[in-house]
Amino acid sequence: MNYRSTRDTSLSLTAAETIARGLSREGGLFVPESVPQIDANFLTQLSAMNYAERSAAVMKLYLSDFTADELLEYTKAAYANFSTESAAPLHRLDEKTSFMELWHGPTCAFKDIALQILPYLLTASLRKTNESKKVCILVATSGDTGKAALEGFRDVEDTAILVFYPRDGVSDVQKLQMQSQQGNNVSVCGVEGNFDDAQTGVKQIFSDPVFASELAARGWFLSSANSINWGRLLPQIVYYISAYCDLLNEGKIHNGEEISFCVPTGNFGDILAGFYAKQMGLPVKRLICASNSNDVLTEFFHTGTYNRNRPFFTTVSPSMDILISSNLERLLFEVSGKDAGYITSLMTALKNDGCYSVTPEVKEKLDKLFRAGCCDENNTKAQIGSVWADHQYLMDTHTAVAHNVLEQYRREEVSQEQVVVVSTASPFKFCGAVLEGLSHPGTGDGLSEIAELEALTGVSAPAPLAALRNAKVRFSESVEKEQMETVVSDFLR
Ligand SMILES: *Cc1c(COP(=O)(O)O)cnc(C)c1O
């Protein structure tokens, strides 16, 4: 199984080369040359397995240059760090609705599912491609990715990781999670400015050839851990298939029956993994794309026009505050008949005009599978309150957006299928907004709000967040954007 780029289909790379390289040189994203197929038999077999075994079996279909034993070793190690038996357990809300809780890993957000295993896949890929330099992972984060990447790569041999976060743009809990990071190969640094400043700074460092050769001379190269890397997307395909197996085991569906997923979406990585699961043959009726007030994707699925020329809102679901959803490029490639020229023209229009429209044929294909909706801040909080009142189930802000959009979907069309709402973070990561949703505004201090939310609901905070009470700050530095390259250089000295 080889991979090619969405903007240059003449390329053909092995899985190891694809993961080692991350992004294709001409700016395209890597996609599998063909999508492996699964059937009812495969689903029956998987249903008898635990999560690590399911993950190895599914990933093996895409990683033909890895052995089954290798993959099982990685998945077992990665998912042993989760507090639940399955890394993606279902919580049943009512007869037709479950939440798939993807946040029982070390940093309490769904990024752990991929970032706990990416270090294994990446270091193995570097070995398989005979790379002799060590890799430094450089991350600009709006909160969840940075911490998950730090936990994934801490003390991994021949790697280092450096995370930049906007000094005033992450929650108290998120900041302390990063500043107190343990490990001997890690560093964390604040940037004066917002997420875009941090992101732009990191992109400039990546595209500086002089700096790259200076680092190469010292035995280092830079790589990224965000969801443009296939190695981060692939582990996410697994939980869609795993959820189906769990519903089979619960006796809620028969093998072959279609189900739907509702996904809180930002960069379009999570829901794209669901699309690949459907392409593999998983019986999926709809993928429902849920957005917050940054509703660029809702408009796109409704009209066929993607337009980033709009106000940017900072919301209580910050991991979905995004105007350019990078992974949409992979979806458009797949539904346009793998037309790299067409994708290049759309992405050029996006870069130059901030806007593009897809052809009626592409729009029609999207309409068959996708639905989309959005939910503003007040409705997000109200959703947290009503689900707590009706079911005593506590949701975070991102999950609440998705659940609200699911209710809209069920009002708009007749649908009897089982729906799985993808739950992406622990409510204790966003205590302030969750407390407001429960009509008990907190003190405004992130750490004491964890205790307030516990006291109010009787629900315990996940251990890694509760432990922040005693966390010691190791990294308190912050710099101007212009100094970021110096920070990297000093770190790798
Ligand atoms: C990253 C993130 C999302 C969005 O996922 P994408 O793959 O970027 O669409 C949603 N919720 C939470 C909590 C996240 O951390």
Side-chain angles (χ1 to χ4, degrees):
M1 158 81 70
N2 272 12
Y3 292 78
R4 58 178 158 196
S5 160
T6 51
R7 299 190 204 175
D8 179 0
T9 41
S10 68
L11 286 174
S12 183
L13 275 67
T14 65
E17 286 167 340
T18 302
I19 293 169
R21 208 180 281 184
L23 185 70
S24 191
R25 291 203 181 101
E26 78 298 335
L29 305 182
F30 291 119
V31 289
E33 278 180 356
S34 62
V35 176
Q37 295 298 301
I38 59 176
D39 57 14
N41 230 341
F42 183 82
L43 291 170
T44 305
Q45 286 167 14
L46 252 338
S47 297
M49 299 179 184
N50 65 31
Y51 191 83
E53 290 164 345
R54 288 175 186 175
S55 179
V58 172
M59 291 203 296
K60 176 71 188 122
L61 303 172
Y62 286 92
L63 302 177
S64 47
D65 41 353
F66 288 66
T67 68
D69 284 349
E70 260 179 305
L71 291 174
L72 190 59
E73 183 196 322
Y74 305 159
T75 58
K76 275 186 177 163
Y79 298 124
N81 297 332
F82 282 60
S83 63
T84 40
E85 197 183 312
S86 162
L90 294 187
H91 175 96
R92 181 151 291 281
L93 188 74
D94 56 39
E95 193 43 43
K96 296 286 182 191
T97 318
S98 318
F99 288 97
M100 174 161 53
E101 297 180 344
L102 300 179
W103 41 264
H104 295 286
T107 77
C108 310
F110 95 99
K111 307 287 194 293
D112 285 330
I113 301 258
L115 282 164
Q116 281 294 306
I117 192 154
L118 181 65
Y120 293 98
L121 296 176
L122 182 62
T123 50
S125 297
L126 296 176
R127 281 195 304 274
K128 288 176 198 286
T129 54
N130 298 316
E131 175 62 61
S132 57
K133 294 190 287 299
K134 292 191 276 190
V135 59
C136 175
I137 307 294
L138 213 54
V139 181
T141 184
S142 59
D144 291 332
T145 302
K147 178 63 185 179
L150 286 161
E151 272 301 316
F153 280 95
R154 73 187 252 194
D155 295 326
V156 174
E157 243 179 90
D158 295 331
T159 75
I161 174 161
L162 174 53
V163 171
F164 290 104
Y165 66 91
R167 203 192 60 173
D168 302 316
V170 297
S171 80
D172 291 350
V173 168
Q174 287 175 321
K175 186 184 284 189
L176 186 57
Q177 273 189 303
M178 289 189 276
Q179 289 186 333
S180 61
Q181 178 65 41
Q182 299 294 305
N184 292 320
N185 63 339
V186 304
S187 192
V188 173
C189 183
V191 178
E192 308 286 341
N194 60 23
F195 172 63
D196 275 336
D197 294 313
Q199 169 104 317
T200 308
V202 163
K203 280 190 182 157
Q204 272 165 10
I205 297 172
F206 272 120
S207 58
D208 179 345
V210 178
F211 189 54
S213 54
E214 203 182 302
L215 291 183
R218 292 197 241 153
W220 285 100
F221 76 101
L222 299 175
S223 184
S224 127
N226 68 30
S227 61
I228 53 177
N229 192 317
W230 181 254
R232 238 194 86 175
L233 211 65
L234 176 58
Q236 299 181 181
I237 296 175
V238 176
Y239 51 72
Y240 288 91
I241 300 174
S242 177
Y244 194 90
C245 295
D246 287 348
L247 290 178
L248 279 176
N249 287 344
E250 272 184 55
K252 290 290 175 192
I253 52 171
H254 63 79
N255 204 338
E257 184 175 339
E258 286 188 325
I259 66 170
S260 293
F261 291 92
C262 186
V263 190
T265 298
N267 210 19
F268 211 77
D270 196 356
I271 195 168
L272 181 77
F275 171 79
Y276 276 109
K278 162 83 175 175
Q279 296 302 100
M280 291 171 77
L282 189 73
V284 176
K285 182 175 181 204
R286 298 263 190 268
L287 292 171
I288 305 161
C289 175
S291 302
N292 62 24
S293 305
N294 295 294
D295 58 355
V296 59
L297 284 167
T298 312
E299 183 179 273
F300 170 70
F301 281 109
H302 290 172
T303 66
T305 296
Y306 194 96
N307 186 358
R308 65 151 303 187
N309 303 310
R310 62 211 300 126
F312 175 88
F313 298 106
T314 301
T315 74
V316 291
S317 45
S319 299
M320 298 155 74
D321 292 346
I322 208 160
L323 291 182
I324 298 191
S325 299
S326 318
N327 271 301
L328 192 61
E329 176 168 349
R330 284 185 165 116
L331 174 68
L332 295 174
F333 179 79
E334 300 290 354
V335 298
S336 69
K338 304 180 192 275
D339 186 342
Y342 178 62
I343 298 305
T344 307
S345 70
L346 293 184
M347 294 305 132
T348 307
L350 180 63
K351 193 169 168 216
N352 296 340
D353 315 326
C355 173
Y356 61 78
S357 298
V358 298
T359 63
E361 296 75 45
V362 167
K363 171 79 167 59
E364 200 180 308
K365 282 194 191 147
L366 296 175
D367 287 346
K368 287 209 178 93
L369 178 60
F370 287 91
R371 290 293 179 271
C374 56
C375 171
D376 69 15
E377 300 229 86
N378 286 336
N379 285 326
T380 303
K381 291 178 202 163
Q383 197 72 22
I384 293 171
S386 70
V387 168
W388 175 254
D390 296 346
H391 302 276
Q392 278 73 59
Y393 182 70
L394 199 58
M395 301 184 287
D396 96 291
T397 47
H398 304 76
T399 309
V401 166
H403 189 252
N404 180 282
V405 169
L406 170 60
E407 290 190 343
Q408 296 176 38
Y409 165 73
R410 284 178 169 155
R411 279 196 297 272
E412 282 157 19
E413 41 190 293
V414 183
S415 63
Q416 291 301 320
E417 79 275 19
Q418 288 284 332
V419 181
V420 175
V421 177
V422 178
S423 174
T424 48
S426 161
F428 287 90
K429 263 193 130 161
F430 304 95
C431 294
V434 172
L435 281 165
E436 280 181 50
L438 301 178
S439 307
H440 279 79
T443 55
D445 170 67
L447 280 190
S448 46
E449 283 178 346
I450 291 180
E452 285 171 59
L453 186 55
E454 282 185 315
L456 181 65
T457 59
V459 178
S460 305
L465 297 182
L468 286 176
R469 247 173 251 142
N470 309 315
K472 287 206 181 60
V473 169
R474 287 182 73 198
F475 306 102
S476 54
E477 188 192 9
S478 59
V479 299
E480 299 290 336
K481 193 169 73 182
E482 294 69 29
Q483 293 169 281
M484 288 168 64
E485 195 167 281
T486 313
V487 174
V488 179
S489 182
D490 290 347
F491 175 56
L492 296 178
R493 201 151 318 266

